[in-house]
Amino acid sequence: MSLLGYRAGDLDCEAYVARPQGVGPHPAVLVAPTVRGPTALEIAKAEALAAQGYLSIVTDHYGRDKRNLGDAAFALMNELLDDRARLRRQLLDTLAFAQGLDGVDRSRVAIIGYCFGGLCALDLTRTGTDAIRGAVSIHGIFSRPDLGEQPPIRAKLLVLHGWDDPLAPPADVLALTEELTGASADWQLHAYGHTVHGFTNPAANMPGRVLYNAAADRRADAALETFLAEVLAERAITDAFSVAPARIT
């Protein structure tokens, strides 16, 4: 694991980078952290992804001089939620940084994100960029950026969601699915019953609001692994329904 500086919007940022074995080029996965910024949880996930062959980059929301903020991080997140154009610039700059890293296969890049990072993953796809193949929102926030007409979403999307998450109630889930369908996105939703926000974090212990769920965590991790293997394959996997049926003679 190494720390590398980069510029995103008007911020001097710092990313944790975990490299797989071999010279590459490797597929890359951006890991967008929760509201609190990079923690041991995201770093451990990046290291696990590197062991699976992905060059993994834990991104920086607030700048290298703003770490270990505790509850003060919520004010910084709200500033970005109030200025989604600024957040979009940061995300696109972060993507460009990741694509420029030594050993990265620029044609095979995805993003995953937790909580606020899940919203970041969605917002990167909402730009309409074709520079990422896939995005995963994990107990994410779904609100739209309201930045004008939505272009077609080209990346495939996976939403891993606790059905009882108070930060993304069923009405928000329905609105997201309608949004993604309207943007012609290839999307899938895995919703886990009796599961609230933060279900992948073993330290989460606020029943009814933010709580670890071992079963949902295990199922989400399996779904994530399958999804990344599909979207970051060396050759794109053709959807079965797009293949012309064989002629019967």
Side-chain angles (χ1 to χ4, degrees):
M1 180 73 69
S2 59
L3 278 170
L4 294 178
Y6 68 100
R7 186 79 176 171
D10 58 358
L11 296 178
D12 288 318
C13 296
E14 201 166 48
Y16 293 88
V17 179
R19 293 181 176 275
Q21 294 184 346
V23 295
H26 303 287
V29 179
L30 287 80
V31 181
T34 73
V35 57
R36 298 186 183 277
T39 68
L41 190 67
E42 291 85 8
I43 292 169
K45 188 61 182 179
E47 290 174 337
L49 289 169
Q52 296 172 26
Y54 304 111
L55 195 154
S56 304
I57 304 107
V58 181
T59 64
D60 184 353
H61 298 315
Y62 313 127
R64 69 171 71 196
D65 59 336
K66 294 183 175 66
R67 294 288 172 87
N68 303 314
L69 296 169
D71 289 344
F74 287 89
L76 294 176
M77 178 189 71
N78 287 332
E79 289 179 11
L80 289 172
L81 290 175
D82 289 340
D83 191 349
R84 299 287 277 276
R86 175 187 165 199
L87 177 59
R88 174 171 289 188
R89 289 192 298 272
Q90 289 183 199
L91 292 170
L92 290 171
D93 286 349
T94 301
L95 173 60
F97 158 73
Q99 288 182 303
L101 288 173
D102 289 342
V104 167
D105 182 344
R106 293 174 59 92
S107 69
R108 293 192 290 157
V109 180
I111 181 172
I112 72 172
Y114 299 86
C115 179
F116 175 54
L119 178 139
C120 292
L122 292 171
D123 268 17
L124 188 54
T125 71
R126 286 162 165 151
T127 67
T129 181
D130 61 0
I132 58 169
R133 288 194 184 182
V136 185
S137 168
I138 305 166
H139 42 81
I141 303 168
F142 300 151
S143 62
R144 299 189 189 195
D146 193 23
L147 293 174
E149 185 176 355
Q150 174 63 58
I153 291 177
R154 302 180 183 184
K156 294 183 179 181
L157 291 112
L158 171 63
V159 179
L160 302 172
H161 174 65
W163 188 248
D164 296 325
D165 188 337
L167 302 185
D172 289 4
V173 179
L174 178 59
L176 177 67
T177 62
E178 291 173 343
E179 175 196 353
L180 298 180
T181 299
S184 302
D186 178 340
W187 64 269
Q188 54 184 298
L189 166 70
H190 295 207
Y192 306 110
H194 312 291
T195 303
V196 293
H197 196 69
F199 59 83
T200 64
N201 184 356
N205 189 25
M206 295 176 61
R209 185 168 178 83
V210 184
L211 186 67
Y212 180 63
N213 184 314
D217 184 20
R218 183 180 65 253
R219 292 165 182 167
D221 200 51
L224 173 64
E225 183 175 344
T226 299
F227 179 80
L228 291 178
E230 174 188 337
V231 300
L232 296 180
E234 288 193 38
R235 295 182 181 179
I237 298 175
T238 304
D239 189 283
F241 294 102
S242 69
V243 178
R247 295 181 64 184
I248 300 175
T249 59

